[in-house]
Amino acid sequence: MVRVRFAPSPTGPLHIGGVRTALYNYLFARQQGGKMILRIEDTDQTRFVPGAEQYIIEAFQWLGIEFDEGVHIGGPYGPYRQSDRKALYRQYADQLLAGGWAYYAFDTPEALDAKRKEYEAEKKTFQYDCTTRLGMCNSLALPADEVQRRLDSGDPYVLRFRFPENTDITVHDLIRGDVTMNSRLLDDKVLFKSDGMPTYHLANIVDDHLMEITHVIRGEEWLPSAPLHIMLYEAFGWQAPQFAHLPLLLKPDGNGKLSKRDGDRLGFPVFPLEWHDPKSGETSNGYREQGYLPQAVVNMLALLGWNPGNDQELMTMDELIRLFSIEHISKNGAKFNLDKARWFQHEYFQQLSDDTVADMLDTQVKSHGIEAPHEYVVKVASMMKERITFPGELWDTCSYFFQAPTEYNEKDVAKRWQPGMEGHMAKVIEILETVPFEYDALHQALLEDYIKANQLNTGAIMNSLRLAVVGRTVGPDMLTLVLMLGKDEVIRRIQRAIETIGN
RNA sequence: GCCGCGUUCGUCUAGUUGGCCCAGGACGUAAGAUUUUCAUUCUUAAAAUCGCGGGUUCGAAUCCCGCACGCGGUACCA
């Protein structure tokens, strides 16, 4: 049984790269008929941000990524929050200690800092490893009675992993193949902090084992510490899960990891939901609040680093689940592309039913204090849907269906309202008043009998009419619009335009 | 610095066992068609000497080696 987990730390809003990691885990789990678990990694108490955990849960609900077990729903392997599992870790740390895989280290943060500065001065980098540990303040270097004395007197200490000297450790990565690193170059990572909490490295291994995780699908930034994790499994005598390290999501311009700053700078969200930072008070934009459809975000994200092996790009969640494969995950980082994101959004917006779009439009119409018959709103929605990408554009592109223009676009006026135009408009009013108010009759009277017969410029007349009725020279078929608005309303608008724009 | 990962059109990528690839699709861009306008839609085009340099081979984007560049890691953060 495949069991995967998404394990964010609740230090703020969920980054879109994290969302993609969760999505790949989810697709894999569902395809394999396995379980998807949400575990909160909050071993760093200093970085706790209130609301972050709730944010993460809400984001996944919005995106349609469902969990089988997790902090919010419980499950047979709980608790699913590491701070709630605190009591559990110590015994495993002791097990490592007893087996000689870990040791006490009493070096203070200040001492470590000084050491690093000292090395830096010589243009070297200090690393707490097999070559330096005997010169430090730990149970490997100190006499046994001294260690005991410090322990007894309650000196603060951490537990460090004791890397074996000069052994090659190979990580079998499902995406990259075998990656080998030598333990000599790896540092003795802290496993257990002086505050009584494990670090990520220890907690992660203990929890994955206890929760029977079979596949660890996580970001590439974890690859360098994968050998440590492999060694920990070995030290415990546990079977390690399979690993897959995902390529990073890069900023649209230049190189480097996609960050919140890039989003602010380039004007796109890097978070699924809007986020109000409780500390700084600043608000970060979210895909949901921007009007993105969750299925568009999911589809876009799925294709950033993975492909189905053919040319298909539009896929529902079910199709993604069916088609997903770790083999088709690419190795290189992917730059986020805003244009492509907008394209996905447009595609999915078009798939919305007329009624759904009408409901969105209706809300906006009502918010402008206007009541319109439902059928009319649906008709407008179905006509205008295809030229819209975000729900927020609805009112702006459709407002003239519900209210007369209050102003006329200056450039359009300059270009289209030629001298003598008010005379033509008066004629249009005359036609509207005398000719049967139906499409064919109006078309004949206006386009054929008046414009063509008098060798007038069709574009000029029709665009001025549009300007009068809409306020701009954009919109759907002019006669359809006239018919929808009604004779009286159209005449009123033309008259007002003649008065306002004049000649 | 050291360690690791990566490198195909501007961007996402196809290319998994070397020949069907003088490299295919999509987004974007440009042009055209359609429309009374805008948008949609449709058609077409430009766009990668497959990071560079060597090999191996009848034949390499695909295999090997070197180099360059980019990124990640190098915390009592995850």
Side-chain angles (χ1 to χ4, degrees), chain A residues 63-100:
Chain A
L63 287 158
I65 294 173
E66 299 160 335
F67 290 87
D68 301 297
E69 301 168 26
V71 254
H72 55 316
I73 46 175
Y77 294 80
Y80 293 92
R81 188 184 293 111
Q82 289 182 331
S83 57
D84 292 339
R85 321 180 105 236
K86 184 176 178 182
L88 220 112
Y89 303 110
R90 182 68 219 204
Q91 56 179 298
Y92 293 100
D94 287 339
Q95 197 177 321
L96 256 18
L97 225 32

Side-chain angles (χ1 to χ4, degrees), chain A residues 100-124:
Chain A
W101 287 98
Y103 59 91
Y104 294 98
F106 302 98
D107 316 87
T108 62
E110 295 75 33
L112 254 15
D113 211 41
K115 201 80 180 170
R116 289 196 187 96
K117 289 232 168 67
E118 185 186 310
Y119 270 65
E120 215 172 294
E122 293 175 49
K123 288 200 167 182
K124 287 194 285 187

Side-chain angles (χ1 to χ4, degrees), chain A residues 445-460:
Chain A
L446 185 58
L447 277 302
E448 302 297 332
D449 299 346
Y450 182 62
I451 296 176
K452 288 225 173 95
N454 291 305
Q455 292 185 301
L456 298 170
N457 183 329
T458 310

Side-chain angles (χ1 to χ4, degrees), chain A residues 233-268:
Chain A
Y233 281 106
E234 223 165 275
F236 282 120
W238 297 337
Q239 207 207 328
Q242 305 247 64
F243 290 98
H245 290 94
L246 267 23
L248 264 20
L249 241 40
L250 274 21
K251 58 182 70 181
D253 56 344
N255 294 303
K257 261 207 286 196
L258 180 65
S259 73
K260 176 187 167 325
R261 280 194 173 285
D262 300 312
D264 295 343
R265 186 166 54 84
L266 274 7
F268 64 88

Side-chain angles (χ1 to χ4, degrees), chain A residues 171 173-176 216-224 226 229 243-247 329-331:
Chain A
V171 182
D173 188 89
L174 262 17
I175 296 170
R176 289 154 218 286
V216 171
I217 304 170
R218 74 221 307 196
E220 194 186 357
E221 67 269 27
W222 293 109
L223 190 53
H229 302 156
F243 290 98
H245 290 94
L246 267 23
I329 294 174
S330 46
K331 295 179 175 66

Side-chain angles (χ1 to χ4, degrees), chain A residues 25-37:
Chain A
N25 271 282
Y26 175 73
L27 296 177
F28 183 67
R30 282 288 172 273
Q31 181 190 75
Q32 301 290 315
K35 300 285 186 206
M36 172 77 170
I37 294 127

Side-chain angles (χ1 to χ4, degrees), chain A residues 212-438:
Chain A
E212 297 181 36
I213 300 301
T214 58
H215 300 258
V216 171
I217 304 170
R218 74 221 307 196
E220 194 186 357
E221 67 269 27
W222 293 109
L223 190 53
S225 50
L228 167 67
H229 302 156
I230 299 274
M231 284 306 290
L232 279 167
Y233 281 106
E234 223 165 275
F236 282 120
W238 297 337
Q239 207 207 328
Q242 305 247 64
F243 290 98
H245 290 94
L246 267 23
L248 264 20
L249 241 40
L250 274 21
K251 58 182 70 181
D253 56 344
N255 294 303
K257 261 207 286 196
L258 180 65
S259 73
K260 176 187 167 325
R261 280 194 173 285
D262 300 312
D264 295 343
R265 186 166 54 84
L266 274 7
F268 64 88
V270 292
F271 303 120
L273 274 34
E274 193 170 271
W275 168 257
H276 306 281
D277 192 280
K279 278 180 197 152
S280 67
E282 78 181 298
T283 297
S284 299
N285 209 345
Y287 279 88
R288 184 227 255 158
E289 287 72 16
Q290 280 268 291
Y292 279 90
L293 267 5
Q295 55 270 48
V297 176
V298 164
N299 198 154
M300 179 265 294
L301 241 27
L303 252 26
L304 232 39
W306 170 83
N307 72 83
N310 55 38
D311 291 341
Q312 193 180 356
E313 297 207 280
L314 260 11
M315 286 164 276
T316 61
M317 188 70 98
D318 284 344
E319 287 174 299
L320 288 171
I321 289 167
R322 191 159 46 80
L323 266 16
F324 186 76
S325 67
I326 291 178
E327 297 76 61
H328 274 110
I329 294 174
S330 46
K331 295 179 175 66
N332 49 314
K335 283 184 187 170
F336 178 86
N337 188 278
L338 182 59
D339 283 325
K340 194 75 180 237
R342 292 179 59 94
W343 176 76
F344 275 112
Q345 166 67 11
H346 185 259
E347 291 296 320
Y348 281 97
F349 193 83
Q350 299 318 307
Q351 289 180 17
L352 260 24
S353 71
D354 290 348
D355 278 327
T356 305
V357 179
D359 287 343
M360 293 172 170
L361 176 58
D362 201 38
T363 308
Q364 295 177 25
V365 169
K366 285 198 173 76
S367 77
H368 283 83
I370 297 166
E371 284 293 331
H374 182 66
E375 277 177 29
Y376 182 79
V377 178
V378 173
K379 198 172 175 191
V380 173
S382 73
M383 274 175 67
M384 304 299 283
K385 190 174 81 177
E386 67 184 12
R387 58 185 74 205
I388 286 162
T389 302
F390 295 100
E393 298 166 0
L394 242 12
W395 172 255
D396 192 47
T397 45
C398 303
S399 65
Y400 53 84
F401 280 97
F402 304 95
Q403 64 178 27
T406 50
E407 54 187 29
Y408 304 93
N409 183 280
E410 270 184 49
K411 278 182 182 155
D412 291 337
V413 169
K415 187 180 177 193
R416 294 299 191 182
W417 197 272
Q418 303 295 336
M421 189 51 76
E422 88 279 5
H424 292 303
M425 288 302 113
K427 181 66 186 176
V428 173
I429 292 175
E430 193 189 313
I431 291 169
L432 288 170
E433 281 172 334
T434 53
V435 172
F437 198 64
E438 55 191 49

